[in-house]
PDB file of all heavy atoms in Angstrom:
ATOM      1  N   ASP A  39     -23.976  86.493  45.508  1.00 98.00           N
ATOM      2  CA  ASP A  39     -25.203  87.302  45.639  1.00 98.00           C
ATOM      3  C   ASP A  39     -26.280  86.657  44.758  1.00 98.00           C
ATOM      4  O   ASP A  39     -26.084  86.510  43.534  1.00 98.00           O
ATOM      5  CB  ASP A  39     -24.891  88.721  45.170  1.00 98.00           C
ATOM      6  CG  ASP A  39     -26.096  89.650  45.256  1.00 98.00           C
ATOM      7  OD1 ASP A  39     -27.193  89.170  45.610  1.00 98.00           O
ATOM      8  OD2 ASP A  39     -25.931  90.840  44.962  1.00 98.00           O
ATOM      9  N   ALA A  41     -28.780  87.752  43.527  1.00 98.00           N
ATOM     10  CA  ALA A  41     -29.240  88.624  42.436  1.00 98.00           C
ATOM     11  C   ALA A  41     -28.526  88.273  41.117  1.00 98.00           C
ATOM     12  O   ALA A  41     -29.074  88.467  40.034  1.00 98.00           O
ATOM     13  CB  ALA A  41     -28.980  90.085  42.779  1.00 98.00           C
ATOM     14  N   LYS A  42     -27.324  87.721  41.222  1.00 98.00           N
ATOM     15  CA  LYS A  42     -26.619  87.305  40.004  1.00 98.00           C
ATOM     16  C   LYS A  42     -27.423  86.240  39.268  1.00 98.00           C
ATOM     17  O   LYS A  42     -27.542  86.262  38.042  1.00 98.00           O
ATOM     18  CB  LYS A  42     -25.221  86.757  40.357  1.00 98.00           C
ATOM     19  CG  LYS A  42     -24.537  86.171  39.146  1.00 98.00           C
ATOM     20  CD  LYS A  42     -23.112  85.762  39.406  1.00 98.00           C
ATOM     21  CE  LYS A  42     -22.538  85.104  38.166  1.00 98.00           C
ATOM     22  NZ  LYS A  42     -21.161  84.714  38.303  1.00 98.00           N
ATOM     23  N   GLY A  46     -28.950  88.452  36.760  1.00 98.00           N
ATOM     24  CA  GLY A  46     -27.841  88.267  35.802  1.00 98.00           C
ATOM     25  C   GLY A  46     -28.099  87.116  34.850  1.00 98.00           C
ATOM     26  O   GLY A  46     -27.816  87.208  33.655  1.00 98.00           O
ATOM     27  N   LEU A  47     -28.638  86.004  35.382  1.00 98.00           N
ATOM     28  CA  LEU A  47     -28.940  84.835  34.543  1.00 98.00           C
ATOM     29  C   LEU A  47     -30.443  84.708  34.269  1.00 98.00           C
ATOM     30  O   LEU A  47     -30.865  84.010  33.352  1.00 98.00           O
ATOM     31  CB  LEU A  47     -28.460  83.534  35.190  1.00 98.00           C
ATOM     32  CG  LEU A  47     -26.958  83.411  35.446  1.00 98.00           C
ATOM     33  CD1 LEU A  47     -26.654  82.070  36.128  1.00 98.00           C
ATOM     34  CD2 LEU A  47     -26.157  83.533  34.165  1.00 98.00           C
ATOM     35  N   TYR A 153     -23.649  70.337  34.159  1.00 96.00           N
ATOM     36  CA  TYR A 153     -22.302  70.901  34.137  1.00 96.00           C
ATOM     37  C   TYR A 153     -21.624  70.514  35.453  1.00 96.00           C
ATOM     38  O   TYR A 153     -22.293  70.121  36.414  1.00 96.00           O
ATOM     39  CB  TYR A 153     -22.360  72.443  34.035  1.00 96.00           C
ATOM     40  CG  TYR A 153     -23.021  72.920  32.768  1.00 96.00           C
ATOM     41  CD1 TYR A 153     -24.353  73.350  32.779  1.00 96.00           C
ATOM     42  CD2 TYR A 153     -22.337  72.958  31.556  1.00 96.00           C
ATOM     43  CE1 TYR A 153     -24.965  73.803  31.602  1.00 96.00           C
ATOM     44  CE2 TYR A 153     -22.932  73.412  30.382  1.00 96.00           C
ATOM     45  CZ  TYR A 153     -24.262  73.824  30.423  1.00 96.00           C
ATOM     46  OH  TYR A 153     -24.866  74.260  29.271  1.00 96.00           O
ATOM     47  N   PRO A 158     -19.019  78.151  36.879  1.00 94.00           N
ATOM     48  CA  PRO A 158     -20.020  79.192  36.588  1.00 94.00           C
ATOM     49  C   PRO A 158     -21.271  78.625  35.901  1.00 94.00           C
ATOM     50  O   PRO A 158     -22.376  79.179  36.047  1.00 94.00           O
ATOM     51  CB  PRO A 158     -19.289  80.141  35.641  1.00 94.00           C
ATOM     52  CG  PRO A 158     -17.836  79.909  35.882  1.00 94.00           C
ATOM     53  CD  PRO A 158     -17.698  78.475  36.301  1.00 94.00           C
ATOM     54  N   ALA A 159     -21.108  77.525  35.164  1.00 95.00           N
ATOM     55  CA  ALA A 159     -22.260  76.967  34.435  1.00 95.00           C
ATOM     56  C   ALA A 159     -23.194  76.158  35.328  1.00 95.00           C
ATOM     57  O   ALA A 159     -24.311  75.828  34.930  1.00 95.00           O
ATOM     58  CB  ALA A 159     -21.757  76.085  33.286  1.00 95.00           C
ATOM     59  N   THR A 162     -26.772  76.940  35.643  1.00 98.00           N
ATOM     60  CA  THR A 162     -27.590  76.891  34.415  1.00 98.00           C
ATOM     61  C   THR A 162     -27.913  75.445  34.027  1.00 98.00           C
ATOM     62  O   THR A 162     -28.081  75.152  32.841  1.00 98.00           O
ATOM     63  CB  THR A 162     -26.911  77.642  33.242  1.00 98.00           C
ATOM     64  OG1 THR A 162     -25.688  76.996  32.925  1.00 98.00           O
ATOM     65  CG2 THR A 162     -26.638  79.093  33.578  1.00 98.00           C
ATOM     66  N   PHE A 195     -19.396  74.711  23.008  1.00 97.00           N
ATOM     67  CA  PHE A 195     -20.031  73.809  23.976  1.00 97.00           C
ATOM     68  C   PHE A 195     -20.025  72.424  23.338  1.00 97.00           C
ATOM     69  O   PHE A 195     -20.392  72.298  22.177  1.00 97.00           O
ATOM     70  CB  PHE A 195     -21.467  74.297  24.217  1.00 97.00           C
ATOM     71  CG  PHE A 195     -22.371  73.342  24.934  1.00 97.00           C
ATOM     72  CD1 PHE A 195     -22.736  73.561  26.251  1.00 97.00           C
ATOM     73  CD2 PHE A 195     -22.856  72.221  24.282  1.00 97.00           C
ATOM     74  CE1 PHE A 195     -23.594  72.669  26.897  1.00 97.00           C
ATOM     75  CE2 PHE A 195     -23.722  71.329  24.928  1.00 97.00           C
ATOM     76  CZ  PHE A 195     -24.089  71.564  26.249  1.00 97.00           C
ATOM     77  N   VAL A 206     -18.013  73.791  28.312  1.00 95.00           N
ATOM     78  CA  VAL A 206     -18.592  75.008  27.704  1.00 95.00           C
ATOM     79  C   VAL A 206     -17.649  76.192  27.897  1.00 95.00           C
ATOM     80  O   VAL A 206     -17.046  76.350  28.945  1.00 95.00           O
ATOM     81  CB  VAL A 206     -19.984  75.311  28.306  1.00 95.00           C
ATOM     82  CG1 VAL A 206     -19.918  75.539  29.797  1.00 95.00           C
ATOM     83  CG2 VAL A 206     -20.647  76.483  27.605  1.00 95.00           C
ATOM     84  N   GLY A 208     -18.475  79.537  28.079  1.00 94.00           N
ATOM     85  CA  GLY A 208     -19.744  80.263  28.223  1.00 94.00           C
ATOM     86  C   GLY A 208     -19.810  81.599  27.496  1.00 94.00           C
ATOM     87  O   GLY A 208     -20.775  81.906  26.816  1.00 94.00           O
ATOM     88  N   LYS A 209     -18.756  82.395  27.652  1.00 95.00           N
ATOM     89  CA  LYS A 209     -18.776  83.743  27.025  1.00 95.00           C
ATOM     90  C   LYS A 209     -18.739  83.616  25.500  1.00 95.00           C
ATOM     91  O   LYS A 209     -19.462  84.318  24.796  1.00 95.00           O
ATOM     92  CB  LYS A 209     -17.563  84.584  27.494  1.00 95.00           C
ATOM     93  CG  LYS A 209     -17.455  84.700  28.995  1.00 95.00           C
ATOM     94  CD  LYS A 209     -18.431  85.706  29.555  1.00 95.00           C
ATOM     95  CE  LYS A 209     -18.241  85.787  31.069  1.00 95.00           C
ATOM     96  NZ  LYS A 209     -19.292  86.286  31.836  1.00 95.00           N
ATOM     97  N   SER A 211     -19.764  81.108  23.808  1.00 98.00           N
ATOM     98  CA  SER A 211     -21.040  80.549  23.379  1.00 98.00           C
ATOM     99  C   SER A 211     -22.098  81.650  23.222  1.00 98.00           C
ATOM    100  O   SER A 211     -22.891  81.650  22.278  1.00 98.00           O
ATOM    101  CB  SER A 211     -21.514  79.509  24.403  1.00 98.00           C
ATOM    102  OG  SER A 211     -22.608  78.809  23.901  1.00 98.00           O
ATOM    103  N   TYR A 215     -23.930  82.549  19.788  1.00 98.00           N
ATOM    104  CA  TYR A 215     -25.395  82.572  19.762  1.00 98.00           C
ATOM    105  C   TYR A 215     -25.859  83.868  19.057  1.00 98.00           C
ATOM    106  O   TYR A 215     -26.718  83.824  18.150  1.00 98.00           O
ATOM    107  CB  TYR A 215     -25.906  82.514  21.213  1.00 98.00           C
ATOM    108  CG  TYR A 215     -27.384  82.432  21.438  1.00 98.00           C
ATOM    109  CD1 TYR A 215     -27.949  81.371  22.139  1.00 98.00           C
ATOM    110  CD2 TYR A 215     -28.264  83.424  20.959  1.00 98.00           C
ATOM    111  CE1 TYR A 215     -29.319  81.308  22.374  1.00 98.00           C
ATOM    112  CE2 TYR A 215     -29.631  83.372  21.184  1.00 98.00           C
ATOM    113  CZ  TYR A 215     -30.138  82.316  21.900  1.00 98.00           C
ATOM    114  OH  TYR A 215     -31.493  82.261  22.141  1.00 98.00           O
ATOM    115  N   HIS A 243     -34.165  79.993  22.098  1.00 98.00           N
ATOM    116  CA  HIS A 243     -33.489  78.949  22.877  1.00 98.00           C
ATOM    117  C   HIS A 243     -32.964  79.609  24.141  1.00 98.00           C
ATOM    118  O   HIS A 243     -32.314  80.674  24.063  1.00 98.00           O
ATOM    119  CB  HIS A 243     -32.341  78.351  22.060  1.00 98.00           C
ATOM    120  CG  HIS A 243     -31.385  77.579  22.899  1.00 98.00           C
ATOM    121  ND1 HIS A 243     -31.798  76.560  23.741  1.00 98.00           N
ATOM    122  CD2 HIS A 243     -30.041  77.680  23.080  1.00 98.00           C
ATOM    123  CE1 HIS A 243     -30.745  76.083  24.385  1.00 98.00           C
ATOM    124  NE2 HIS A 243     -29.672  76.731  23.999  1.00 98.00           N
ATOM    125  N   PRO A 245     -30.659  78.874  27.238  1.00 98.00           N
ATOM    126  CA  PRO A 245     -29.761  78.167  28.171  1.00 98.00           C
ATOM    127  C   PRO A 245     -29.906  78.767  29.569  1.00 98.00           C
ATOM    128  O   PRO A 245     -29.661  78.096  30.569  1.00 98.00           O
ATOM    129  CB  PRO A 245     -28.368  78.427  27.580  1.00 98.00           C
ATOM    130  CG  PRO A 245     -28.520  79.596  26.668  1.00 98.00           C
ATOM    131  CD  PRO A 245     -29.934  79.585  26.186  1.00 98.00           C
ATOM    132  N   PHE A 246     -30.270  80.029  29.632  1.00 98.00           N
ATOM    133  CA  PHE A 246     -30.714  80.738  30.848  1.00 98.00           C
ATOM    134  C   PHE A 246     -31.582  81.867  30.321  1.00 98.00           C
ATOM    135  O   PHE A 246     -31.347  82.377  29.216  1.00 98.00           O
ATOM    136  CB  PHE A 246     -29.514  81.226  31.693  1.00 98.00           C
ATOM    137  CG  PHE A 246     -28.469  81.966  30.908  1.00 98.00           C
ATOM    138  CD1 PHE A 246     -28.456  83.333  30.847  1.00 98.00           C
ATOM    139  CD2 PHE A 246     -27.497  81.257  30.196  1.00 98.00           C
ATOM    140  CE1 PHE A 246     -27.491  84.020  30.119  1.00 98.00           C
ATOM    141  CE2 PHE A 246     -26.537  81.931  29.451  1.00 98.00           C
ATOM    142  CZ  PHE A 246     -26.536  83.290  29.400  1.00 98.00           C
ATOM    143  N   LYS A 252     -31.276  89.223  26.063  1.00 97.00           N
ATOM    144  CA  LYS A 252     -30.134  89.819  25.345  1.00 97.00           C
ATOM    145  C   LYS A 252     -30.255  89.606  23.852  1.00 97.00           C
ATOM    146  O   LYS A 252     -29.957  90.497  23.058  1.00 97.00           O
ATOM    147  CB  LYS A 252     -28.843  89.174  25.811  1.00 97.00           C
ATOM    148  CG  LYS A 252     -28.405  89.570  27.181  1.00 97.00           C
ATOM    149  CD  LYS A 252     -27.091  88.866  27.470  1.00 97.00           C
ATOM    150  CE  LYS A 252     -26.568  89.276  28.821  1.00 97.00           C
ATOM    151  NZ  LYS A 252     -25.212  88.821  29.052  1.00 97.00           N
ATOM    152  N   ASN A 286     -32.143  75.050  32.205  1.00 98.00           N
ATOM    153  CA  ASN A 286     -31.860  74.656  30.834  1.00 98.00           C
ATOM    154  C   ASN A 286     -32.379  73.252  30.560  1.00 98.00           C
ATOM    155  O   ASN A 286     -32.217  72.344  31.393  1.00 98.00           O
ATOM    156  CB  ASN A 286     -30.327  74.701  30.587  1.00 98.00           C
ATOM    157  CG  ASN A 286     -29.988  74.721  29.114  1.00 98.00           C
ATOM    158  OD1 ASN A 286     -30.866  74.606  28.247  1.00 98.00           O
ATOM    159  ND2 ASN A 286     -28.716  74.853  28.808  1.00 98.00           N
ATOM    160  N   TYR A 316     -31.034  77.574  18.554  1.00 98.00           N
ATOM    161  CA  TYR A 316     -29.563  77.621  18.486  1.00 98.00           C
ATOM    162  C   TYR A 316     -29.008  76.369  19.153  1.00 98.00           C
ATOM    163  O   TYR A 316     -29.365  76.034  20.281  1.00 98.00           O
ATOM    164  CB  TYR A 316     -29.018  78.864  19.207  1.00 98.00           C
ATOM    165  CG  TYR A 316     -27.491  78.845  19.229  1.00 98.00           C
ATOM    166  CD1 TYR A 316     -26.755  79.189  18.104  1.00 98.00           C
ATOM    167  CD2 TYR A 316     -26.786  78.429  20.375  1.00 98.00           C
ATOM    168  CE1 TYR A 316     -25.368  79.128  18.111  1.00 98.00           C
ATOM    169  CE2 TYR A 316     -25.410  78.385  20.395  1.00 98.00           C
ATOM    170  CZ  TYR A 316     -24.694  78.736  19.254  1.00 98.00           C
ATOM    171  OH  TYR A 316     -23.317  78.674  19.247  1.00 98.00           O
ATOM    172  N   SER A 318     -25.225  74.726  19.989  1.00 98.00           N
ATOM    173  CA  SER A 318     -23.795  74.987  19.956  1.00 98.00           C
ATOM    174  C   SER A 318     -23.086  74.078  18.963  1.00 98.00           C
ATOM    175  O   SER A 318     -23.530  72.969  18.679  1.00 98.00           O
ATOM    176  CB  SER A 318     -23.207  74.794  21.346  1.00 98.00           C
ATOM    177  OG  SER A 318     -23.695  75.770  22.212  1.00 98.00           O
TER     178      SER A 318
HETATM  179  N1  COA B 401     -26.601  91.266  40.516  1.00 54.06           N
HETATM  180  C1  COA B 401     -27.100  91.295  39.267  1.00 54.06           C
HETATM  181  N2  COA B 401     -26.406  90.805  38.196  1.00 54.06           N
HETATM  182  C2  COA B 401     -25.189  90.274  38.422  1.00 54.06           C
HETATM  183  C3  COA B 401     -24.630  90.224  39.718  1.00 54.06           C
HETATM  184  C4  COA B 401     -25.396  90.747  40.806  1.00 54.06           C
HETATM  185  N3  COA B 401     -24.926  90.727  42.061  1.00 54.06           N
HETATM  186  N4  COA B 401     -23.414  89.638  39.625  1.00 54.06           N
HETATM  187  C5  COA B 401     -23.211  89.330  38.307  1.00 54.06           C
HETATM  188  N5  COA B 401     -24.305  89.695  37.592  1.00 54.06           N
HETATM  189  C6  COA B 401     -24.517  89.558  36.150  1.00 54.06           C
HETATM  190  C7  COA B 401     -23.294  89.916  35.328  1.00 54.06           C
HETATM  191  O1  COA B 401     -23.180  91.340  35.159  1.00 54.06           O
HETATM  192  C8  COA B 401     -23.616  89.202  34.049  1.00 54.06           C
HETATM  193  O2  COA B 401     -24.545  89.943  33.298  1.00 54.06           O
HETATM  194  P1  COA B 401     -24.176  90.402  31.790  1.00 54.06           P
HETATM  195  O3  COA B 401     -23.926  89.146  31.031  1.00 54.06           O
HETATM  196  O4  COA B 401     -25.443  91.094  31.348  1.00 54.06           O
HETATM  197  O5  COA B 401     -23.013  91.255  31.898  1.00 54.06           O
HETATM  198  C9  COA B 401     -24.328  87.925  34.513  1.00 54.06           C
HETATM  199  O6  COA B 401     -24.734  88.174  35.866  1.00 54.06           O
HETATM  200  C10 COA B 401     -23.444  86.668  34.485  1.00 54.06           C
HETATM  201  O7  COA B 401     -22.327  86.868  35.290  1.00 54.06           O
HETATM  202  P2  COA B 401     -20.830  86.663  34.747  1.00 54.06           P
HETATM  203  O8  COA B 401     -19.932  86.785  35.894  1.00 54.06           O
HETATM  204  O9  COA B 401     -20.606  87.521  33.570  1.00 54.06           O
HETATM  205  O10 COA B 401     -20.837  85.190  34.149  1.00 54.06           O
HETATM  206  P3  COA B 401     -20.448  83.798  34.768  1.00 54.06           P
HETATM  207  O11 COA B 401     -18.961  83.683  34.795  1.00 54.06           O
HETATM  208  O12 COA B 401     -21.155  83.534  36.043  1.00 54.06           O
HETATM  209  O13 COA B 401     -21.018  82.796  33.658  1.00 54.06           O
HETATM  210  C11 COA B 401     -22.468  81.928  31.994  1.00 54.06           C
HETATM  211  C12 COA B 401     -22.326  82.935  33.152  1.00 54.06           C
HETATM  212  C13 COA B 401     -23.862  82.066  31.429  1.00 54.06           C
HETATM  213  C14 COA B 401     -21.432  82.238  30.909  1.00 54.06           C
HETATM  214  C15 COA B 401     -22.240  80.489  32.584  1.00 54.06           C
HETATM  215  O14 COA B 401     -23.236  80.235  33.536  1.00 54.06           O
HETATM  216  C16 COA B 401     -22.297  79.437  31.499  1.00 54.06           C
HETATM  217  O15 COA B 401     -21.317  79.177  30.823  1.00 54.06           O
HETATM  218  N6  COA B 401     -23.458  78.737  31.366  1.00 54.06           N
HETATM  219  C17 COA B 401     -23.681  77.753  30.295  1.00 54.06           C
HETATM  220  C18 COA B 401     -24.252  78.461  29.087  1.00 54.06           C
HETATM  221  C19 COA B 401     -24.565  77.483  28.014  1.00 54.06           C
HETATM  222  O16 COA B 401     -25.164  76.465  28.284  1.00 54.06           O
HETATM  223  N7  COA B 401     -24.172  77.777  26.763  1.00 54.06           N
HETATM  224  C20 COA B 401     -24.336  76.816  25.696  1.00 54.06           C
HETATM  225  C21 COA B 401     -25.653  76.776  25.057  1.00 54.06           C
HETATM  226  S1  COA B 401     -26.195  78.268  24.293  1.00 54.06           S
END
Side-chain angles (χ1 to χ4, degrees):
D39 180 356
K42 173 174 177 178
L47 299 179
Y153 298 100
T162 63
F195 166 107
V206 61
K209 305 282 181 201
S211 189
Y215 184 123
H243 163 54
F246 48 97
K252 286 181 178 191
N286 197 355
Y316 175 78
S318 292

